[in-house]
Amino acid sequence: ANMLTLNNKKMSKSTGNNILPGEIINGKNNFFSKPISAEVIRFFILQAHYRSIVDISEEALEASEKGYNRLLSALETIKKITPSTKTTDFDVISWKEK
């Protein structure tokens, strides 16, 4: 992975611009207004290319949280899909299994 930045500044312990993952999750920090779930943080980091700089900011984590929730909603919708009785080339049941 490439460098992590916090609010567009290099993370540095000496400048106080650093945060631990547990502090993001439990919300006990001076950078974010609310706790962020570990799943959202994981989703946020996995969206970035491994060679790109990842900037952790409140706006970026909120956007990832919305995207993660949309993904979960889509997965729930897929579970509710029932195959049509019409003849089609697309096999929904095998697609769901994959």
Side-chain angles (χ1 to χ4, degrees), residues 47-84:
Q47 290 181 82
H49 187 273
Y50 73 97
R51 282 192 234 156
S52 65
I53 295 173
V54 179
D55 181 48
I56 300 173
S57 66
E58 182 132 17
E59 296 81 22
L61 288 175
E62 285 177 0
S64 288
E65 185 174 38
K66 287 178 185 177
Y68 180 73
N69 289 334
R70 280 194 309 263
L71 179 63
L72 291 181
S73 176
L75 290 173
E76 287 301 314
T77 302
I78 288 172
K79 289 178 185 176
K80 297 174 187 174
I81 293 176
T82 55
S84 173

Side-chain angles (χ1 to χ4, degrees), residues 3-96:
M3 185 171 55
L4 288 174
T5 60
L6 182 60
N7 296 323
N8 288 321
K9 297 178 186 171
K10 181 180 172 186
M11 278 198 202
S12 173
K13 196 173 180 181
S14 61
T15 61
N17 192 41
N18 67 329
I19 190 166
L20 298 173
E23 293 172 339
I24 299 173
I25 294 168
N26 66 26
K28 296 178 182 175
N29 62 70
N30 298 326
F31 299 103
F32 305 111
S33 60
K34 65 177 187 172
I36 308 293
S37 74
E39 292 84 11
V40 170
I41 296 167
R42 188 176 300 119
F43 183 74
F44 168 72
I45 291 173
L46 288 173
Q47 290 181 82
H49 187 273
Y50 73 97
R51 282 192 234 156
S52 65
I53 295 173
V54 179
D55 181 48
I56 300 173
S57 66
E58 182 132 17
E59 296 81 22
L61 288 175
E62 285 177 0
S64 288
E65 185 174 38
K66 287 178 185 177
Y68 180 73
N69 289 334
R70 280 194 309 263
L71 179 63
L72 291 181
S73 176
L75 290 173
E76 287 301 314
T77 302
I78 288 172
K79 289 178 185 176
K80 297 174 187 174
I81 293 176
T82 55
S84 173
T85 56
K86 295 179 183 179
T87 305
T88 179
D89 295 339
F90 187 73
D91 186 6
V92 175
I93 295 171
S94 65
W95 180 73
K96 280 183 176 182

